[in-house]
């Protein structure tokens, strides 16, 4: 067990972002926290095992990636304003910030909490790996099934090639983001699973560094990420896609976004229900971060301008949602949080499903690329994704959620619960 506070000398226990250790563990701080808990919806949300509005934000993140891929499958129609927003594909960045927030939240709520690294990683593996493997199988078997159906109906269709063993090896090991040849070889959207797994592995280390050295630790972690992006980005400058993209799409390259989510959890807990930042200031953070991410400087990928801007925007959005009644009610509503809770399943299966549905619209119904095709993908296609995704969730992801929560008797519950 690695103690996260209390064990080191006082000079090394800045613990997140202040000498009072993020909500405090003294009697005065405890009374303050109890009074804050009684005063509003934000702290009520933080006291539950799940935060409905965070599930709602996960639904928004899924909507962003679904909109992006289906927009591409519809021929990338030029629709004023809408196309410029959808084409950004900010979902991976959003989910990285949310992941950092959710994993850090239990420690932000309890600065004396300890992490049992082996148990934490075991829970992550049980929660994530089997649904991911099932999604790889789904992406491979779906086209073969569709070919079989078309042939049974008397149509003409060619069998699809099977992935090579090298392709399987890169994906099953979660290392495909490091392969320019295979990073998108089976399901193009699942490169993010390699990124997420790296962040899960880095989390205990980052947590210890920040808890031991406080602001100095934060600066060190941020500095490592920015230095890596600068050195790696300059090394591949001019090589184009995908190399310039891949060097920034791994754990070190997106660590600043992950760190932003962790600090967001710390900020929310320390501030409690009485927001020290007005909603309009948070709105400026959302808009300003987005504009920075889309500024001309973002073209210099080795400077991480895009990632820093999106980290600011999405962190501000999380605080805004959890600190306003409208945000809590909107994103925490039952339909929205229902989608968010299943967002992992929906994400895992959506791309191959929507690709073949878009092909069906074109080849079978004669609907060309354009706005009409996009509307059908965003309505009928979304319904298909939710339906198939719900089956995937019930049969595969939900049992894995239950499996991940089974704690060995010998292990204390001293690690992030995770979502």
């Amino acid at each position: 067990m690695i103690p996260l506070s209390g064990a080191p000398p006082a000079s090394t226990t800045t613990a997140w972002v202040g000498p009072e250790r993020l909500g405090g563990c003294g009697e005065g701080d405890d009374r303050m926290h109890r009074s804050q808990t009684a005063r509003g919806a934000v702290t009520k949300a933080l006291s539950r095992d799940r935060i409905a509005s965070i599930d709602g934000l996960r639904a928004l993140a899924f909507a962003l990636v679904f909109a992006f891929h289906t927009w591409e499958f519809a021929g990338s129609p030029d629709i004023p304003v809408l196309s410029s927003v959808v084409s950004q594909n900010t979902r991976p960045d959003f989910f990285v910030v949310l992941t950092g927030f959710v994993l850090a939240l239990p420690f932000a709520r309890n600065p004396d909490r300890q992490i049992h690294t082996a148990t934490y990683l075991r829970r992550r593996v049980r929660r994530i790996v089997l649904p991911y493997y099932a999604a790889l199988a789904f992406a491979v078997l779906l086209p073969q099934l569709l070919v079989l159906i078309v042939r049974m109906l008397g149509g003409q269709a060619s069998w699809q090639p099977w992935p090579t063993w090298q392709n399987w090896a890169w994906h099953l090991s979660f290392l495909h983001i490091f392969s320019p040849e295979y990073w998108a070889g089976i399901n193009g959207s699942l490169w993010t699973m390699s990124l997420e797994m790296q962040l899960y592995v880095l989390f205990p280390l980052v947590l210890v560094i920040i808890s031991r050295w406080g602001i100095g630790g934060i600066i060190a972690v941020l500095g490592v990420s920015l230095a890596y992006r600068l050195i790696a980005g300059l090394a591949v400058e001019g090589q184009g896609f995908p190399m310039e993209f891949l060097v920034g799409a791994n754990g070190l390259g997106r660590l600043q976004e992950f760190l932003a989510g962790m600090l967001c959890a710390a900020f929310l807990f320390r501030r409690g229900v009485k927001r020290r930042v007005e909603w309009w200031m948070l709105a400026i953070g959302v808009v300003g971060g987005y504009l920075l991410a889309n500024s001309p400087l973002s073209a210099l990928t080795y400077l991480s301008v895009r990632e820093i801007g999106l980290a600011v925007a999405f962190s501000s959005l999380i605080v805004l949602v959890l600190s306003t009644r409208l945000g809590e009610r909107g994103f925490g509503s039952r339909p929205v949080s229902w989608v968010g809770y299943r967002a992992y399943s929906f994400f895992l299966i959506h791309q191959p499903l929507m690709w073949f549905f878009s092909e069906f619209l074109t080849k079978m119904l004669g609907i060309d690329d354009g706005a009409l095709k996009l509307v059908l993908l965003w309505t009928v296609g979304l319904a298909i994704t939710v339906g198939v995704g719900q089956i995937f969730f019930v049969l595969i992801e939900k049992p894995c959620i239950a499996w991940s929560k089974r704690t060995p008797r010998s292990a204390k519950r001293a690690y992030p619960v995770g979502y």
Side-chain angles (χ1 to χ4, degrees), residues 56-75:
L57 286 170
R58 293 174 75 237
L60 174 61
F62 165 71
L64 290 174
V65 71
F66 181 86
F68 170 73
H69 286 140
T70 49
W71 174 75
E72 283 193 322
F73 298 159

Side-chain angles (χ1 to χ4, degrees), residues 42 121 130 159 221 235 292 352 399:
V42 175
L121 291 175
L130 286 183
W159 296 107
V221 172
L292 176 63

Side-chain angles (χ1 to χ4, degrees), residues 46 77 126 261:
L46 288 173
R126 290 179 176 183

Side-chain angles (χ1 to χ4, degrees), residues 266-306:
F267 174 81
L268 278 171
F269 187 82
R270 291 182 71 237
R271 299 300 185 183
V273 68
K274 288 291 185 180
R275 295 295 100 189
R276 302 295 179 87
V277 182
E278 299 290 340
W279 69 267
W280 57 268
M281 297 182 67
L282 296 169
I284 290 175
V286 174
V287 176
Y290 181 80
L291 292 177
L292 176 63
N294 290 278
S295 68
L297 288 175
S298 64
L300 303 175
T301 56
Y302 52 82
L303 293 181
S304 301
V305 173
R306 179 183 180 275

